[in-house]
Every structure is written in C-alpha cells, then in structure tokens.
Amino acid sequence: PLLGQTVTTRGVVTAAYPTGGFNGFFMQTAGTGGGTDATPGASDAIYVFGSAAMSVSPQIGDHVEVTSAVSEFAGLTELVPGSGGVVKLADPADPVTPLATAYPTTAADREAHEGELLAPSDQFTVTNNYTTNQYAEVWLATGTTPLIQPTDVALPASAEAAAVAADNAARLVVLDDGASINYLSSANQGIPLPWLSPTNTARVGAAATLHAPVILDYRNSAWKFQPTHQVTDEGADVVTFADTRAPAEVGGTTRSPRSTC
C-alpha cells in the first residue's frame, strides 16, 4: 500500500548478507516475535537492498533507521536507500525474537510474515534436490512425507488431482543458502557447494531438522527460508538432514540368472 512513497522506519537487523550476491539485510520492528504475532495480517519486517544499505556494515542486532522509497522487486517488498539513507542508532532497542509458528499454508498468510524471523514448529522432509547443485536450494515439505505429482495418484484435471496440487502448495518451502550464486557457472567452480557433506546428505525423503531461526523470504517466484547469514559450509548450525530408511521389501521370487561367464 505504500509503494512509491518515501518512508522513514526504524528496526533491528535480523539477517545480513554482505557476500554472496544478496547485497542487503532484513530489519524488523524492535521487540516483535516470540510466541505471538504483534500485528496479525501485516508483516513487521522488510528487506533493505543496495550498496548504500551495506555501506554501514550492518550486523545482526544493530538498531537502524532507514529512509527510502518503498519498492517491489519480483514480489518482494523492499527499501533501496540512497547515500546516507541508513543510519545506525546509538539508543538501544528491544531485541527481535523468532516467531514460533507453524509454516503458513496460504500465500496471504505468508505475505503477513514476509521478511520476519521465524522458528517454524513443523517437521520438514526433503522433497526435491534438483537445484541443490546449482543454487544450493533444498526443497522442503512440511510433514514426514515428500510431495507427490498429482497425476501419480489421480487423473489429470480431476478434483483429486487438484486436491493434491493444493496440498503441495500449502506444504512447500525452499531452503536457500543466503546467496544468489550459480554453482554450475564456470566462473564459480572454485566455490564449495554448501549444505552437502558425506554426513549431511539431502536425499529426497530425508528428515530436515532446523537448528536456527530463518527468514521467510519471497525470491525468484518462490517462498523460501533464508538463513540469517550466507552459508558456505555444510550449515549444520542451520539444518541437518537424516535418512535412516532401508530399502523396502518388494516381495516376489524372481531373480537374475546366474552368469555362466
């Protein structure tokens, strides 16, 4: 509703990304979060982008004042201040605590928490790792099972298929690494891929356990969990993956013939 208007707002820095390409920080109203939502239906946080924003070297916990026009970038509400548009304040501010809540199931509810620091109370399961080796994204589903293609279990255009699609939309969120690096680009071949290690494998179906609060972000047409800092290693302080499943018994008596070679 304030698109294009110049505003001045104060808040506490909850996440900062001086490296990795994001070139910005999130700020949130002092004292918000915890077990209750101070402003139901409206977010208490916003993204601040650009070289002027990062010129003050914002750190998590800093109390800042930002003056900027309000803009929207690909669906993300943000402030892009000019020179001198961000000031660190000396007066103390009540800290922001992560809002303990289940992951919002609708776009409207997610908009109401866009940019906020969350401590999701759900269980999460890895549902897709197709873009993990390119953008370090791990697609998660709430609950203990991955998402399924609607037409795997229902006829195309049927009510049953539509119900599965709606369930997928309600449960899906993408875990990102706090960076915009394309790890498949030849220019970035020397940069280690985060999240993965021999002991931290994001297999589809693995349980994903969050160990730190995350920012609810909207970027590249998807709702995402951003760590509060760029992840450059396996990120065990943010999330760990565990898959203890064994191959399922399939029954039957057929077996391959013994080789005669």
Side-chain angles (χ1 to χ4, degrees):
L2 299 179
L3 183 64
Q5 298 184 38
T6 297
V7 300
T8 297
T9 185
R10 292 184 173 190
V12 175
V13 175
T14 54
Y17 309 99
T19 59
F22 276 13
N23 197 33
F25 64 88
F26 284 94
M27 62 183 291
Q28 186 167 332
T29 303
T32 56
T36 58
D37 183 0
T39 55
S43 173
D44 297 307
I46 197 164
Y47 188 58
V48 186
F49 172 78
S51 56
M54 300 309 291
S55 66
V56 299
S57 300
Q59 304 292 317
I60 293 174
D62 284 348
H63 189 200
V64 296
E65 181 179 271
V66 179
T67 299
S68 169
V70 179
S71 62
E72 290 276 338
F73 181 78
L76 174 67
T77 305
E78 63 181 17
L79 302 176
V80 187
S83 178
V86 179
V87 178
K88 286 189 178 183
L89 302 173
D91 53 313
D94 292 333
V96 171
T97 52
L99 178 64
T101 184
Y103 178 58
T105 59
T106 67
D109 287 342
R110 292 165 191 167
E111 284 279 354
H113 296 291
E114 181 183 274
E116 290 185 0
L117 190 66
L118 301 186
S121 57
D122 313 77
Q123 291 180 289
F124 292 97
T125 300
V126 176
T127 191
N128 190 324
N129 55 17
Y130 184 77
T131 57
T132 301
N133 67 334
Q134 184 170 17
Y135 296 114
E137 297 174 334
V138 183
W139 292 29
L140 304 178
T142 57
T144 58
T145 58
L147 307 181
I148 55 177
Q149 290 289 344
T151 51
D152 281 354
V153 294
L155 292 174
S158 66
E160 292 80 5
V164 174
D167 179 68
N168 287 350
R171 295 172 56 204
L172 175 65
V173 64
V174 180
L175 174 68
D176 204 359
D177 64 335
S180 56
I181 298 171
N182 180 350
Y183 295 91
L184 292 183
S185 169
S186 59
N188 298 323
Q189 286 184 351
I191 303 176
L193 182 70
W195 299 130
L196 305 184
S197 74
T199 57
N200 204 36
T201 56
R203 296 176 60 198
V204 172
T209 302
L210 294 174
H211 301 289
V214 290
I215 299 290
L216 181 59
D217 184 30
Y218 188 79
R219 198 174 297 258
N220 304 122
S221 302
W223 288 100
K224 301 187 177 185
F225 285 157
Q226 297 291 352
T228 57
H229 59 279
Q230 181 192 359
V231 174
T232 57
D233 55 15
E234 69 176 19
D237 60 321
V238 178
V239 66
T240 52
F241 307 104
D243 191 355
T244 59
R245 298 170 300 164
E249 293 289 343
V250 297
T253 58
T254 302
R255 62 181 181 178
S256 298
R258 182 178 298 174
S259 172
T260 57
C261 298

